[in-house]
Amino acid sequence: MVEKEETSSSTLWTIHGERPVDSTRRLDLSIAHVELPDGVTFEQYVLRMPKAAMTVVLNDERTHALMIYRHRFIMDRWTWELPGGYVDPDEDPQICAAREVEEETGWRPRTIRPLTTFQPLAGTADFENLIYAAEGAEDTGQGPDINEAARVEWIALDTVRDRISKGEIIGAGAQLGLMFVLAER
């Protein structure tokens, strides 16, 4: 749990109201009427999304990570990603993380533990991302979900930095999770 630090209220932004724009099962979009400490006012788009959980699944030797290769239509790009997805209401995030690995890859993690959390767009969105690490996995014999992955592969950890620099791994969650695992080595 993150403790709140005492700060001067003179630096807090004042929210004079928030107007809903659209609401779906995966996104609430609104416009907040904001006043800065110096008196400047403006409107700010605000996105609120359900938590997401993803997992860095390591092989037994801790040399490779299980990743999915998929197309992201919004950017029209192919990318390597960690398996993951939205946490269902009232679902334990760690159970979600393990479920998503199995559904998307056909592999069942043997162990799973929290690695880190992050907010990808802290100035605009409330979208908590939870990253887990798994040690080892069992092949269930089921193939990957065709809606989620074109390919599933064990990617060598010693290629991760190069893949990131070449734009093959573009997601913030995948980059952060993989870098955490590399830092633990």
Side-chain angles (χ1 to χ4, degrees), residues 67 109 167 176:
M67 298 192 75
L176 186 61

Side-chain angles (χ1 to χ4, degrees), residues 92-167:
D92 179 292
Q94 190 162 312
I95 291 171
C96 170
R99 174 181 54 77
E100 290 288 343
V101 170
E102 189 168 342
E103 287 175 3
E104 292 183 2
T105 70
W107 290 81
R108 182 177 301 121
R110 282 200 293 269
T111 65
I112 194 163
R113 65 181 168 85
L115 191 60
T116 192
T117 66
F118 73 99
Q119 288 275 358
L121 296 166
T124 304
D126 181 3
F127 180 35
E128 184 177 16
N129 282 244
L130 308 143
I131 304 177
Y132 293 85
E135 309 282 333
E138 303 296 330
D139 187 346
T140 65
Q142 301 296 312
D145 181 341
I146 193 168
N147 297 316
E148 301 285 351
R151 294 191 334 244
V152 173
E153 292 183 19
W154 291 94
I155 302 297
L157 290 176
D158 61 7
T159 68
V160 164
R161 286 184 183 94
D162 188 50
R163 289 174 184 269
I164 290 171
S165 69
K166 289 179 178 176

